[in-house]
Amino acid sequence: MDKTPGTSRPVRFRGGGFAPRPLGLVGALVFITIIILWELGSRTGVISALVLPAPSEAYVAFEELVRSGLLWKHLSASLQRLIIGWSSGALLGVLVGVAIALFSFARAGLVPLVSAIFPVPKIALLPLFIIWFGIGEGAKVATILFGTFFPTVIATYSGIDNLDRSLVRMGQSFGLSWFSIVRKIILPGALPAILSGFRISAAVAIILLVAAEMIGAEFGVGAYILMAGSLMATDQLIAGVAMLSCMGLTVAWLISRAEKYLLRWRR
Amino acid sequence: MDLNIQSLGHYYSDLEILRNINLDVPAGQIVAVIGPSGCGKSTLLRMIGGLEQPTSGAVLQVGETPNDSLNPLTYIFQDFALLPWRSVAGNISLVLEDHKLGSAEVDEIIENVLSRTKLGDFRDAFPHQLSGGMKQRVAIARALAVRPAVLLMDEPLSALDSQTHDLLMDDLIDLWMREKFTSVYVTHNLSEAVHLGHKVVVMSRRPGMITEVVDIDLALDTRKDHPELLIEYQQHLWNIMRDEVRAAELELVDG
């Protein structure tokens, strides 16, 4: 620079970026900061107790729930519905998604049907489900099942559609059976898409769980929240919502673990 | 086992791709097929291996297929076609799993083909950990594992850098010297054709027809010692092809 002023300068760096690094602590820090600010706001009176209870009050409500032994009752009822509904919806979704991806007839017949029913809020169908499957567990599980089924179908068949056809041709060229090609080439190839579909369908499942439990359930996190809401017990309401968030976090974490293990072949 | 291609022709809807292809692939020889891009040489190869059906004509297998062959017509693809979620050994076992072999026999075959392709140390590596040349070696090992009667190679070296390309070409020559396999070798690289082909089939641009078949009467392992002869052959092939390539360049890709 000094030797030939004005004629030489370093090339401006314009690469980099577009590659997020994992920063595990930041996420936790965001949560903690928000909760601390909220607590401070409540204590100093900036946030009125009528508008929003302090996190500490919600925690007291939560402790009470634990002490009364009702926590486990609510949680186990919810988790049971969630697990049965989501896993059967996801399983059926993968099966139908594979059928749509592989058979012209299934594709022609089912894709319009999926497009027609996917946008219908499944909670609107709950009264029908109650007539069909009864007021008990059936209707709630069916709501979750239907809600998770459609996103899984779409994730599965679009995942298979995007699969590298040359791998299928390779399988055929080595004389692999149809079943082997589906099991060893098509399904593992579509697995990344199926797993991201699971992420979405799991969140949908939690939303529908609460909605379904708000109609005619004795126990369940949704029922607890509804009860708290009708009593204007906002501390309990916040405690219930926090439980839902924890469910969401747990599911997301479980799916991340599954991705890490099942997709370890990716770079 | 020989292959005999009889008056084969093919259309994609109204577009004529191949016209009246007649070709013999005698056992123990490498038949190189060259031609301008889009001349249908890869389509022809897919038909030879039964992955596509010609509109007219036929591909005939002449003579008995060897008894021990698990997959008589076996491909080696340009893009390697390895499953990224399976290790090197897993990719090879994939093509053996449908054959009801004992697990001991599968292991033995894998061990054997890995040592023949000098891949012994990479048994458990995943494809993304390997260079292009190593991936193609794995694909070759996988092809050898099913004891093919005919190797159908679709531009197997085209995706490699030029040094790896030369090394792998030498490996293919060594392999042929040891095993005298039968092969149809599709390429657009004239140097590969004259190094590996016992005969070189030159195809015209679309619709692909055979313009000329050039026999190269030189043992594969001595060809390196006669670069001047190879260059002569190469020049001859280029003279046949040049105008076709130029005309093909000017055509729209999708016709």
Side-chain angles (χ1 to χ4, degrees), chain A residues 112-193:
Chain A
L113 194 67
V114 167
S115 310
I117 304 181
F118 185 27
V120 174
K122 304 303 165 296
I123 201 66
L125 301 176
L126 187 62
L128 278 182
F129 291 153
I130 290 177
I131 296 171
W132 297 345
F133 305 110
I135 186 86
E137 293 304 296
K140 299 176 189 68
V141 169
T143 311
I144 298 171
L145 188 155
F146 272 82
T148 54
F149 172 78
F150 292 97
T152 311
V153 169
I154 291 172
T156 304
Y157 85 71
S158 51
I160 297 175
D161 285 352
N162 286 327
L163 184 68
D164 186 358
R165 290 288 120 177
S166 69
L167 292 179
V168 173
R169 195 158 2 106
M170 180 278 292
Q172 291 177 318
S173 82
F174 278 96
L176 266 61
S177 68
W178 182 88
F179 190 70
S180 282
I181 290 176
V182 171
R183 193 162 63 88
K184 296 172 186 170
I185 299 178
I186 289 178
L187 283 180
L191 195 59

Side-chain angles (χ1 to χ4, degrees), chain A residues 166 173 177 180 184-185 188 265, chain B residues 71 79 84-85 95 97-98 128:
Chain A
S166 69
S173 82
S177 68
S180 282
K184 296 172 186 170
I185 299 178
W265 46 272
Chain B
N71 189 46
D79 60 0
W85 50 88
V95 300
E97 285 162 10
D98 276 13
H128 75 83

Side-chain angles (χ1 to χ4, degrees), chain A residues 63-230:
Chain A
E63 266 190 338
E64 197 148 311
L65 193 63
V66 175
R67 213 169 320 116
S68 65
L70 283 174
L71 172 72
W72 181 240
K73 263 193 168 151
H74 288 305
L75 214 53
S76 62
S78 287
L79 286 178
Q80 192 189 342
R81 289 166 192 145
L82 196 64
I83 290 167
I84 297 173
W86 178 81
S87 52
S88 40
L91 182 71
L92 286 173
V94 169
L95 289 178
V96 172
V98 169
I100 286 177
L102 297 182
F103 306 110
S104 317
F105 205 74
R107 175 174 298 242
L110 293 176
V111 169
L113 194 67
V114 167
S115 310
I117 304 181
F118 185 27
V120 174
K122 304 303 165 296
I123 201 66
L125 301 176
L126 187 62
L128 278 182
F129 291 153
I130 290 177
I131 296 171
W132 297 345
F133 305 110
I135 186 86
E137 293 304 296
K140 299 176 189 68
V141 169
T143 311
I144 298 171
L145 188 155
F146 272 82
T148 54
F149 172 78
F150 292 97
T152 311
V153 169
I154 291 172
T156 304
Y157 85 71
S158 51
I160 297 175
D161 285 352
N162 286 327
L163 184 68
D164 186 358
R165 290 288 120 177
S166 69
L167 292 179
V168 173
R169 195 158 2 106
M170 180 278 292
Q172 291 177 318
S173 82
F174 278 96
L176 266 61
S177 68
W178 182 88
F179 190 70
S180 282
I181 290 176
V182 171
R183 193 162 63 88
K184 296 172 186 170
I185 299 178
I186 289 178
L187 283 180
L191 195 59
I194 293 175
L195 285 174
S196 33
F198 281 0
R199 251 178 214 288
I200 295 168
S201 66
V204 170
I206 294 177
I207 295 172
L208 289 175
L209 166 77
V210 175
E213 282 176 347
M214 286 183 164
I215 301 174
E218 192 184 351
F219 292 110
V221 180
Y224 175 73
I225 292 175
L226 183 74
M227 200 157 56
S230 38

Side-chain angles (χ1 to χ4, degrees), chain A residues 164 166-167 169-170 173-174, chain B residues 37-38 41-43 45-46 74-82 131-137 139-140 142 152-161 165 168 184-189 192:
Chain A
D164 186 358
S166 69
L167 292 179
R169 195 158 2 106
M170 180 278 292
S173 82
F174 278 96
Chain B
S37 56
K41 51 192 191 296
S42 293
T43 309
L45 197 71
R46 284 201 292 277
T74 297
Y75 283 89
I76 293 172
F77 299 95
Q78 178 178 358
D79 60 0
F80 325 126
L82 299 175
S131 65
M134 297 300 278
K135 283 184 207 166
Q136 195 55 294
R137 257 177 234 266
I140 293 170
R142 177 178 63 188
L152 304 172
M153 299 199 252
D154 188 4
E155 311 224 11
L157 307 182
S158 295
L160 306 177
D161 65 74
H165 173 279
L168 217 56
V184 181
Y185 188 104
V186 165
T187 180
H188 63 259
N189 182 316
E192 280 173 33

